[in-house]
Amino acid sequence: MTSPAHPPEPTADPTGPAPTPRAADPSPTPATADPSPTPTTRAADPSPTPATPDPSPTPVAVDRAVAPGNGGAQVIARQRLHPLSPVLKSVRTLIIIIVAVSWRGLQNLGPRNYALAVLGLLVLVLLYSAIAWRFTGYEVVGRELRIHEGVLFRRTRAVPLERLQSIEVVQPVLARLAGLAELRLDVAGAAKSEAPLAFLPLAEATALRTRLLSLTARTPVRAGTGAPAAPGDEPAADRPEEPDLHRVDDNDVVVSQFLTPPVMFTPLAVLYIVGQLVWNSEFGIFAIASMFTAVAGTIGAPVMRVLNFWHFRVGRTDDGRLRIRHGLLETRSQLVAPPRIQSLTVTWPLLWRGKGWLRVTLAVAGQSSAGGGDGQQSRAETDRLLPVATLDTARAMIPLAVPGIDIGALPLSPVPPRAAWLAPLRHRVLAAGFTDTVFATVDGLATRQLTVVPYARIQSVRVVQGPWQRRLDLATVYVDVAGATPAAAPHRPLAEAFAWADELTVRARAARAAARPA
């Protein structure tokens, strides 16, 4: 990696909370404290972004039914989900129950009793889902989405729209056949999608997403300019979409998942099962079936990733948001505003390096980005900017998510030679550095990772020094962001670590101040 780049400043986040009925606190959720010894914390920006009051919050009509509220304010009548929602939810729950019972339940109950048990469970689940649908609904009041649910215990969730990070429209297989979709809302501070709305007609789900996103920011930003859009430039549901900027080759997706340890070792497991079936006469049919089920579960994650990343397309809407769509059986359509991206990770798996491939993952507040290895399915599997790509493609696409960076020309500095005592194999890989807009770190031996954090997204900076690091006068710098794993620069010289912490704090405050609306 060579000389640093000097790109323009990133697009400012124009969002700001406004007073609404029963609105939740829009302040960012503090990052979880690291259990490492002797931490020194330096808060980057302890104060939340000041709110911009709205003199006339206008309720958004999700449906035609609008009723007058108290004091002359309008309140949207509660809207229910589609009547087929209980049926679709019951089938999905029943599949999970059948998988949980597995072959052992069939062996103990027998085919007839097993079928009766499954039928009884289907009736009970369908009945419960129908009752739950009766009391489930949603409404939009001002800049707040309210979701009503519950059977025995009724509850209402109030989701402030200024805390929305992204909204995803998901169509499972059965929902696609019925023309329905599920709306998943990612909210800052939530560990998973907040109160998903399942299911709505596809057109209604798309229109509702457009309306909700139009309320998350008072001043939209024109794509690629960073300038405020005109009043007539807000996203419209009926506006034609711009063409995709990049399409991932489906053949590359399939080959990349074959180049994973679970798939490569699966033939050995199958040979073992065949050998047991041929040479061990005491091996029963249910034992064989259980082992084949285990093998199927091992390769299930790569297969699901192929289905999930099929027809992967990346585009950009006219208001500057990223539009990510993919899926073969279950289709997904996600809109992400670049200012909502907390960090970006570029990963080079060991088996991919021969083909020069990498993957790019986004971390958005409200989405769990703690992913596992190649054999694990996680929430991060749905937050990819590029599931498989070359370095040149990544260098062209990453600036759409984090403007102004070139991952091929980052000014990264290595760790001192004495760090080899603590990281004998990794010390040649460890590096970190600054650009005008981001802080970047590199780590990992077999699976190498580059983590990029925009200064405006930094929540706090910590300097941690362990007992062995004290003897070598080294320390680790942690950069905390909302809803994602902290970026770490391990084994830096102690004086440099504290100087970096001060520099990161200053740059984070300056970036937040520049992003605040005037």
Side-chain angles (χ1 to χ4, degrees), residues 7-23:
E9 291 293 327
T11 304
D13 186 355
T15 60
T20 56
R22 299 188 295 152

Side-chain angles (χ1 to χ4, degrees), residues 120-144:
L121 289 174
L122 175 61
V123 173
L124 291 177
V125 171
L126 182 60
L127 180 61
Y128 179 84
S129 299
I131 298 175
W133 170 82
R134 174 65 178 79
F135 300 107
T136 302
Y138 69 94
E139 58 185 346
V140 180
V141 179
R143 291 169 56 84
E144 182 179 85

